């Protein structure tokens, strides 16, 4: 069981700052997902932990040792990549046992460990086969197996499922979660897919422009985003984010955006006034009014029936809003409707910094 700590971790490629002053403490046995848009520095972080990328400044503690200057092969970490990179001329068994052969472990010990791991991954029948005769999912399992037989202190995953089709990706996602429960080893996983992050991570680390924006359990980050970037990035359909101006008066506050006024109670975080961004999750917009809810009227521009849910795009007097309603067969394109939202579910952000405004 090994914890990982990043302190002031920074990487520059010439003038490009890929990762800037990242501090992160990962508990022993934890499954942590680094998630963010392309170019946010996730892969560079992971590659520095693996020792595949040099560090410009800062420390990487694996257990009690700062490994920032330690060679990759001496860090006791195993990395699984998007491309499986299996040796085509070797059998599955030889691919899986290769790292142990390099370490000069006895042949029967290698065979025992490969068999054990193949059984966990459902690859026993495939052991004599060549990689090219396997499906993509099986090849990715071999790549996983190759990492597991090494029994590393930390697993590092760089978008390992992105080459698989959607169905297989979902299946492999739950296999990996089960594997984590079984192995109980520290895992750090990189993805740009927020759904993958939400479903897999004990905690998720949202990255943007080389830095960490928020760390928390998936639901903490979803329910309580610290800034507008995190609020908009986590969640699907995305949170409605609307720029406007707030004006207080007569015991209430009015949020105005081009063509649309929304009245909110005096104690609402927008009451500080000035340019703000309002945030409403699609599921908090409802056709039924509850006590104290405020109404937003508009015309239905699009309806998606997903089965259990109905997604509606509402053209208001101002911006377009997206609502996730419980299944509703009575909402049609062109209908004039009113959606209701509890003011407690309306978030506010500073328009310039994006920082969440709290009451
Ligand atoms: P993606 O999901 O697209 O891989 P990412 O969040 O993993 O994105 P990184 O690959 O870590 O992001 O890249 C962070 C920044 O560093 C980007 O601006 C990228 O162009 C830059 N970068 C990464 N590797 C290099 C390199 N070898 N040389 C120069 N710039 C690099």
């Amino acid at each position: 069981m090994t914890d990982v700590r990043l302190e002031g971790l920074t990487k520059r490629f010439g003038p490009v700052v890929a990762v800037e002053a990242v501090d992160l403490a990962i508990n022993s046995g934890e499954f942590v997902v680094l998630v963010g848009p392309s170019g946010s520095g996730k892969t560079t972080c992971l590659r520095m932990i693996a020792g595949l990328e040099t560090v410009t400044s800062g420390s990487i503690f694996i257990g009690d040792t700062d490994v920032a200057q330690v060679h990759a092969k001496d860090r006791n970490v195993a990395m699984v990549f998007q491309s499986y990179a299996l040796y085509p001329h070797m059998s599955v068994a030889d691919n899986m046992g290769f790292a142990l052969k390099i370490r000069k472990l006895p042949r029967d010990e290698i065979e025992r460990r490969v068999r054990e791991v193949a059984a966990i991954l459902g690859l026993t029948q495939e052991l004599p086969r060549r990689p090219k005769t396997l499906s993509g999912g099986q090849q990715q399992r071999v790549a996983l197996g190759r990492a597991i037989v090494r029994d590393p202190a930390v697993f590092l995953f760089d978008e390992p499922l992105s080459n698989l089709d959607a169905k297989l990706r979902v299946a492999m996602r739950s296999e990996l979660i089960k594997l984590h429960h079984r192995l109980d080893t520290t895992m750090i996983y990189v993805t740009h897919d927020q759904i993958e992050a939400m479903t897999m991570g004990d905690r998720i680390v949202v990255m943007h422009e080389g830095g960490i924006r928020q760390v928390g359990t998936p639901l903490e980050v979803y329910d309580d985003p610290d800034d507008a970037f995190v609020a908009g990035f986590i969640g699907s359909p995305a949170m409605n984010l609307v720029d406007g101006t707030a004006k207080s008066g007569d015991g209430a506050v009015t949020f105005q955006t081009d063509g649309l006024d929304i009245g909110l109670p005096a104690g609402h975080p927008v009451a500080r006034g000035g340019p703000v961004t309002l945030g409403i999750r699609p599921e908090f917009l409802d056709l039924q009014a509850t006590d104290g809810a405020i109404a937003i009227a508009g015309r239905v521009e699009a309806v998606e029936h997903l089965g259990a849910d109905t997604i509606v795009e509402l053209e208001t007097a101002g911006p377009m809003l997206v609502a996730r309603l419980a299944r509703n067969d009575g909402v049609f394109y062109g209908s004039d409707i009113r959606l209701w939202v509890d003011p407690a579910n309306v978030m506010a952000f500073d328009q310039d910094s994006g920082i969440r405004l709290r009451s």
Side-chain angles (χ1 to χ4, degrees):
M1 299 284 275
T2 309
D3 59 342
V4 175
R5 238 170 340 111
L6 311 180
E7 288 181 2
L9 191 62
T10 299
K11 177 69 187 182
R12 283 190 215 101
F13 294 102
V16 177
V17 184
V19 173
E20 189 166 27
V22 161
D23 292 317
L24 179 66
I26 298 169
N27 300 320
S28 180
E30 196 175 22
F31 195 132
V32 162
V33 180
L34 309 185
V35 63
S38 184
S40 54
K42 320 173 288 287
T43 297
T44 305
C45 253
L46 201 72
R47 289 175 58 82
M48 284 193 282
I49 299 170
L52 301 175
E53 200 68 77
T54 57
V55 164
T56 303
S57 59
S59 305
I60 302 166
F61 287 92
I62 298 182
D64 295 329
T65 315
D66 183 356
V67 297
Q69 308 304 328
V70 172
H71 196 278
K73 71 174 175 24
D74 299 321
R75 292 192 186 191
N76 198 15
V77 299
M79 187 145 162
V80 180
F81 300 90
Q82 179 178 345
S83 61
Y84 328 123
L86 302 174
Y87 298 112
H89 59 288
M90 288 186 193
S91 68
V92 166
D94 288 344
N95 264 286
M96 283 172 61
F98 189 68
L100 305 184
K101 194 171 163 193
I102 298 284
R103 274 198 235 154
K104 299 198 164 36
L105 259 71
R107 231 175 60 198
D108 50 351
E109 165 75 6
I110 297 176
E111 245 178 62
R112 187 185 61 74
R113 273 164 69 170
V114 166
R115 289 208 157 273
E116 231 175 67
V117 173
I120 293 176
L121 295 172
L123 286 171
T124 306
Q125 302 301 321
E126 281 70 31
L127 283 175
R129 290 167 60 178
R130 293 278 164 92
K132 71 167 188 296
T133 69
L134 303 178
S135 69
Q138 287 170 325
Q139 290 188 42
Q140 189 51 288
R141 284 213 288 274
V142 177
L144 255 177
R146 189 173 50 183
I148 298 169
V149 292
R150 292 174 51 192
D151 192 21
V154 181
F155 285 98
L156 306 173
F157 297 101
D158 189 7
E159 308 244 9
L161 309 185
S162 46
N163 278 349
L164 306 177
D165 66 48
K167 202 168 160 196
L168 199 52
R169 210 157 49 219
V170 172
M172 282 295 287
R173 213 153 73 187
S174 68
E175 279 190 38
L176 264 178
I177 297 167
K178 284 184 216 147
L179 189 71
H180 175 245
H181 289 309
R182 182 164 182 161
L183 300 176
D184 218 12
T185 308
T186 312
M187 296 187 172
I188 309 175
Y189 188 105
V190 160
T191 181
H192 63 274
D193 179 347
Q194 56 94 21
I195 294 183
E196 212 164 273
M198 292 287 284
T199 51
M200 297 182 81
D202 292 327
R203 283 190 304 157
I204 62 178
V205 178
V206 184
M207 293 193 66
H208 187 45
E209 294 172 341
I212 293 180
R213 288 301 183 92
Q214 192 164 354
V215 182
T217 67
L219 290 181
E220 276 167 5
V221 173
Y222 184 82
D223 289 340
D224 203 13
D226 284 338
D227 69 22
F229 170 77
V230 174
F233 187 72
I234 300 292
S236 175
M239 183 186 281
N240 296 289
L241 292 168
V242 181
D243 287 344
T245 314
K247 287 198 181 99
S248 291
D250 293 339
V253 52
T254 307
F255 172 82
Q256 297 178 315
T257 176
D258 60 311
L260 180 71
D261 284 6
I262 300 177
L264 291 156
H268 193 275
V270 293
R272 69 125 212 209
V276 289
T277 302
L278 224 59
I280 307 174
R281 290 238 177 256
E283 65 270 28
F284 289 136
L285 288 164
D286 202 343
L287 282 168
Q288 265 83 48
T290 48
D291 260 3
I294 48 177
I296 301 173
R299 176 160 294 176
V300 174
E301 274 294 305
V303 185
E304 285 174 36
H305 294 291
L306 300 182
D309 297 329
T310 300
I311 309 291
V312 168
E313 282 182 33
L314 189 74
E315 177 85 69
T316 69
M320 182 82 85
L321 296 177
V322 175
R324 180 197 283 272
L325 309 176
R327 178 192 172 126
N328 191 310
D329 304 6
V331 178
F332 302 99
Y333 169 78
S335 311
D336 287 317
I337 60 168
R338 287 216 278 182
L339 292 175
W340 298 83
V341 59
D342 182 337
N345 290 326
V346 177
M347 292 185 191
F349 305 90
D350 182 279
Q351 212 177 96
D352 297 325
S353 65
I355 291 173
R356 173 94 173 270
L357 303 173
R358 299 172 190 271
S359 38

